[in-house]
Amino acid sequence: MPARNSPPNLVTPADPGATPVASLPGVGPALAEALSRLGLERVQDLWFHLPLRYEDKTHVTAIADLRPGERAQVEGVVEAVERGFRYRPQLKVAIGDDSHQTLMLRFFHFRRSQSEQLQPGTRLLCYGEVRQGAQGLEMVHPQYERLSADEATPVDELLTPIYPTTEGLGQKRLASVIAKALALLPPDAQLELIPPTLCEAHGLTSLREALLYVHRPPPDAHLGQLTTGRHPAQQRLAFEELLTQHLSLKRMREAVRRRHSPSLRGTGVLRERLLANLPFGLTGAQQRVSAEIAGDIAQSEPMLRLVQGDVGSGKTIVAALAAVAAVESGYQVALMAPTELLAEQHLHHFRHWLTPLGIDVAWLAGKVAGKARQAALAQVASGAHVVIGTHALMQDGVAFARLGLVIVDEQHRFGVQQRLALRDKGADIETGLVPHQLVLTATPIPRTLAMSAYADLDVSAIDELPPGRTPVQTIAISNARRFDVIERIHAACLEGRQAYWVCTLIEESEQLRAQAAEVAHAELSAALADCRIGLIHGRMKPKEKQAVMDAFKAGELSVLVATTVIEVGVDVPNASLMVIENSERLGLAQLHQLRGRVGRGAVASNCVLLYQPPLGQLARERLQVMRETNDGFRIAEKDLELRGPGEVLGTRQTGQLSFRIADLARDAHLLPAVQEVGAQMLERHPQAAEQLITRWVGGAARYAHA
Ligand code: ADP
Ligand code: MG
């Protein structure tokens, strides 16, 4: 073992990984400082600092064989040099090779000496990304070296790993430190933290071999496999990284579990009255999930539960029942929704259900200002039973008297951080009690993702729709047949049906979105002169929006032209026709949410996906899925397949999921085993689990957010 050669008091063979990087030969204070900026403090941090990608300089590609978009190594002779100053300084160097083609090298930053060295006739070896330029193929700022006329082309023997790095620390230097660290890599018996029985049971191969392979792939390594992260060595490491993330989420949840919450057992009196007042009975799924929640919040251990239910599955009443139990126990409830419109709908429903029971429901949104805000804050502080609002609930100055339960609707719009912030806001300084937490999501999260991204939550599913719903029939129609669609709406309205017409202009500004909706509103108003057409968009005042929604609900409007503000939560059971403009631009999750606004009553509903041809491959597949199924879980699985987890979970979520080597979509097949090994380790080898987290998370604590 090379460790023997190192100073014995610095690198101990017992645990070379725990040694500071400064103990490696040639690592002085400046380099150690640069490494620490990358979170690399110990030798083992270097072992697990994995390449982002690889460069293949093991052979030379003929210019004639280059393809735009690929990275390649090219050897050629300078044919012409031109220095330009037209827009900005530029050095253009044309090189040619035996394939009788020319490649343009472009430099925008260069020294005079450089341009002098690159005279016609100079032999060059370059490496870079090939682009299609105006006058043929080119490379911008390629790496290059000059070769003497008779020298053999110096190609590498191994693929070159490219590491994440920081300013002032070049790839070569970083790679050389990592190589020194790898020389200290102990045998598996010492390195492996996953117990041997579990490794065997799940076919996990040598960790040492895997690390050596990804840091120094052999000459015959499969670049395609390595580039896509599918090489067995990478998969071995991805498994360990996913396991680490899983363990750290579980650990975070254990930390929450060690805190205490008020026991919200309730008396059941108000619950019975609420149920008796409802015009419907709960579905089996609602009863089951409601019982799970009641069981959780009766405990003094904090509840962390995610309720998944497809659009229209009836999550709101389940949340209201939980709220009632909290109020019966003398505690406050906060309900947070991602948009004002959705929060208003909740306010409407909760007041409708709870006011008759003597429960007061307060309102606190971002737009509540001045005196009204002071009054609302005073109400919250003096113990208003239920407080509903947007993320304004988390702002400074909002103080609850006795918060016992936090309900967050439409989870995917909020990040883990926000979820935790609201929980902490409710923590009682005197008693140390934290509120229970209930998260509702209408976006069915594929099981594999839920296991990983929400390992800190228990999951309940409302997997049954209220009775009497008929599945929505969906068709896709080209915008060329827009008039047919308008005719069809006309006929439907004359029959007393109600329709949504959704404008989906994907513009960053709410103003442009509103304008698009105004245009559509004018068009439909002209075409359907004998029907009443309403308009709703995000630029309207809450009161105006509410008035329009009320009119639509009351059946005074036949058609509601809307932006995607109606995406979540809007509930008008009589509406049975949905037209989505430019549907090709929307993702599956959003289309499914929008379509979920119809099909809520007993009437058969229809959804028309208007699209602007020609359709791209992805858009075509999405519309096809929408036509085939109404099942939110199938749609979510498909969405994951088409888009990857980052987008499925929303960008805020993925901030938490930054992996070095794992990729949730690509490696989802590893998750069941990850979960199993994780459970075993937490139960039987908690210390190894802890070490594994330290190893992967290092000083940066990148998954730790509790
Ligand atoms: P979501 O899960 O999308 O939030 P909602 O809670 O808005 O669904 O419920 C959708 C509609 O179904 C509402 O009009 C609600 O009153 C109604 N509803 C909920 N549960 C039932 C039930 N068990 N039977 C009949 N209608 C129900
Ligand atoms: Mg809802």
Side-chain angles (χ1 to χ4, degrees):
M1 281 257 327
R4 260 181 271 134
N5 303 333
S6 309
N9 56 338
L10 288 176
V11 176
T12 59
D15 192 3
T19 319
V21 289
S23 68
L24 292 168
V27 180
L31 181 52
E33 198 275 324
L35 291 171
S36 104
R37 269 186 276 135
L38 290 169
L40 307 175
E41 311 269 357
R42 289 156 196 273
V43 167
Q44 71 170 12
D45 297 338
L46 290 166
W47 298 340
F48 288 89
H49 192 64
L50 303 176
L52 284 173
R53 58 186 175 85
Y54 298 91
E55 286 182 351
D56 184 0
K57 297 183 189 168
T58 62
H59 64 274
V60 166
T61 307
I63 295 178
D65 294 338
L66 294 177
R67 273 172 312 187
E70 69 180 10
R71 294 170 170 273
Q73 178 164 256
V74 174
E75 187 193 336
V77 174
V78 176
E79 294 173 340
V81 187
E82 188 188 314
R83 282 180 69 170
F85 289 95
R86 233 154 86 112
Y87 303 107
R88 50 177 171 164
Q90 188 181 143
L91 180 66
K92 295 202 283 185
V93 179
I95 64 168
D97 68 1
D98 293 344
S99 68
H100 302 294
Q101 299 283 322
T102 302
L103 175 69
M104 187 68 79
L105 313 180
R106 276 179 200 276
F107 300 87
F108 297 106
H109 309 281
F110 56 96
R111 286 187 296 272
R112 174 190 287 267
S113 60
Q114 222 174 339
S115 66
E116 281 162 2
Q117 283 174 349
L118 296 171
Q119 289 310 307
T122 312
R123 218 180 133 208
L124 292 181
L125 184 64
C126 342
Y127 181 89
E129 188 180 332
V130 182
R131 301 197 325 189
Q132 184 64 55
Q135 296 137 12
L137 295 181
E138 59 182 36
M139 282 184 186
V140 176
H141 282 266
Q143 307 165 19
Y144 72 90
E145 60 183 297
R146 291 189 301 156
L147 305 176
S148 57
D150 46 2
E151 172 181 3
T153 311
V155 291
D156 286 353
E157 292 211 339
L158 301 179
L159 294 176
T160 319
I162 302 297
Y163 294 99
T165 189
T166 175
E167 201 164 313
L169 180 57
Q171 287 293 336
K172 281 217 170 100
R173 198 126 168 269
L174 180 54
S176 114
V177 189
I178 289 175
K180 283 174 196 160
L182 287 174
L184 302 178
L185 209 52
D188 274 311
Q190 228 174 302
L191 183 66
E192 186 58 80
L193 292 172
I194 304 175
T197 47
L198 291 176
C199 283
E200 227 166 88
H202 294 275
L204 297 178
T205 51
S206 159
L207 175 60
R208 183 187 150 87
E209 296 300 317
L211 283 172
L212 288 174
Y213 195 99
V214 301
H215 283 291
R216 311 179 189 145
D220 62 347
H222 192 304
L223 187 65
Q225 232 182 16
L226 275 178
T227 307
T228 54
R230 289 176 209 275
H231 189 277
Q234 291 166 309
Q235 290 282 295
R236 170 65 178 81
L237 295 172
F239 182 94
E240 197 161 312
E241 186 172 34
L242 290 169
L243 176 63
T244 304
Q245 192 230 17
H246 183 81
L247 290 172
S248 84
L249 278 173
K250 286 276 190 210
R251 193 183 58 161
M252 175 177 116
R253 168 194 162 132
E254 290 313 315
V256 172
R257 287 268 150 90
R258 280 194 292 275
R259 303 185 70 170
H260 293 283
S261 292
S263 160
L264 307 176
R265 208 172 286 278
T267 57
V269 176
L270 294 180
R271 180 188 170 91
E272 285 314 313
R273 278 178 55 197
L274 172 53
L275 287 172
N277 289 348
L278 287 179
F280 52 77
L282 298 184
T283 62
Q286 284 171 319
Q287 281 172 21
R288 175 172 45 75
V289 172
S290 181
E292 281 166 358
I293 297 168
D296 280 359
I297 61 178
Q299 309 299 316
S300 62
E301 188 178 273
M303 170 176 73
L304 286 171
R305 188 171 285 280
L306 176 73
V307 172
Q308 286 188 12
D310 211 344
V311 283
S313 62
K315 294 181 290 294
T316 321
I317 185 66
V318 170
L321 287 165
V324 164
V327 173
E328 279 185 330
S329 312
Y331 280 86
Q332 288 177 290
V333 178
L335 193 168
M336 178 167 78
T339 68
E340 198 148 312
L341 188 66
L342 181 54
E344 280 161 14
Q345 294 246 337
H346 281 315
L347 181 70
H348 176 83
H349 282 121
F350 272 63
R351 283 203 168 137
H352 178 73
W353 286 329
L354 304 187
T355 313
L357 310 180
I359 298 177
D360 46 74
V361 183
W363 171 244
L364 189 62
K367 293 218 175 89
V368 179
K371 271 201 192 127
R373 183 177 161 83
Q374 291 313 318
L377 290 179
Q379 240 184 320
V380 173
S382 68
H385 297 134
V386 178
V387 185
I388 296 181
T390 55
H391 48 262
L393 286 180
M394 293 187 313
Q395 278 162 7
D396 286 342
V398 182
F400 291 88
R402 272 162 73 81
L403 187 58
L405 172 66
V406 168
I407 303 170
V408 183
D409 196 6
E410 303 293 345
Q411 156 70 9
H412 69 298
R413 297 288 186 97
F414 293 107
V416 174
Q417 306 290 357
Q418 281 166 298
R419 205 168 79 208
L420 294 174
L422 188 55
R423 185 194 73 203
D424 291 341
K425 172 156 279 297
D428 190 312
I429 297 169
E430 278 166 37
T431 62
L433 294 181
V434 296
H436 293 282
Q437 198 162 353
L438 180 64
V439 177
L440 311 176
T441 180
T443 306
I445 296 153
R447 216 175 65 85
T448 47
L449 267 188
M451 280 191 323
S452 183
Y454 297 107
D456 62 325
L457 298 171
D458 291 316
V459 179
S460 302
I462 305 186
D463 48 11
E464 179 187 353
L465 291 179
R469 305 255 168 104
T470 32
V472 182
Q473 290 291 329
T474 302
I475 51 171
I477 295 184
S478 159
N479 199 39
R481 288 172 54 205
R482 190 181 178 88
F483 283 113
D484 299 349
V485 175
I486 293 176
E487 265 316 296
R488 193 169 156 170
I489 293 185
H490 198 184
C493 291
L494 295 180
E495 284 170 24
R497 290 173 68 183
Q498 287 179 286
Y500 293 101
W501 180 286
V502 186
C503 301
T504 60
L505 193 72
I506 311 259
E507 292 289 352
E508 273 316 300
S509 108
E510 189 59 47
Q511 186 181 352
L512 287 173
R513 279 195 288 260
Q515 271 172 16
E518 274 159 16
V519 170
H521 180 250
E523 179 192 358
L524 288 172
S525 301
L528 314 176
D530 50 352
C531 301
R532 288 197 58 194
I533 322 280
L535 172 66
I536 189 165
H537 57 68
R539 299 252 296 170
M540 289 162 54
K541 296 202 172 74
K543 270 218 177 78
E544 295 169 350
K545 278 190 278 188
Q546 197 55 55
V548 173
M549 285 312 299
D550 288 346
F552 190 57
K553 232 176 191 165
E556 292 158 19
L557 298 171
S558 298
V559 181
L560 183 62
V561 177
T563 55
T564 46
V565 294
I566 66 148
E567 179 190 343
V568 282
V570 169
D571 183 35
V572 180
N574 189 51
S576 63
L577 187 55
M578 160 79 51
V579 179
I580 305 176
E581 275 205 81
N582 297 114
S583 57
E584 79 280 0
R585 298 188 197 169
L586 297 188
L588 275 175
Q590 220 181 354
L591 287 170
H592 181 64
Q593 288 291 318
L594 282 170
R595 181 172 62 182
R597 300 307 114 214
V598 295
R600 301 187 151 229
V603 216
S605 293
N606 302 84
C607 175
V608 176
L609 303 172
L610 265 183
Y611 65 85
Q612 195 66 49
L615 282 181
Q617 178 61 29
L618 269 184
R620 187 180 300 276
E621 278 190 55
R622 284 198 297 262
L623 298 188
Q624 181 64 24
V625 173
M626 290 299 292
R627 282 162 46 197
E628 278 170 11
T629 184
N630 277 290
D631 178 345
F633 279 86
R634 264 208 57 204
I635 291 175
E637 296 283 356
K638 193 73 194 171
D639 203 23
L640 179 64
E641 203 181 298
L642 295 178
R643 292 195 306 163
E647 293 192 61
V648 173
L649 290 175
T651 41
R652 288 209 203 98
Q653 286 290 341
T654 46
Q656 164 219 1
L657 300 172
S658 64
F659 291 108
R660 295 177 200 196
I661 196 162
D663 175 317
L664 276 176
R666 183 191 67 211
D667 305 330
H669 63 280
L670 299 174
L671 290 171
V674 162
Q675 221 193 11
E676 218 176 293
V677 173
Q680 295 268 349
M681 282 186 72
L682 283 175
E683 196 179 315
R684 305 219 190 109
H685 312 275
Q687 207 185 337
E690 205 62 34
Q691 284 173 295
L692 202 57
I693 293 172
T694 315
R695 168 184 282 176
W696 280 87
V697 174
R702 49 206 251 146
Y703 309 122
H705 36 52

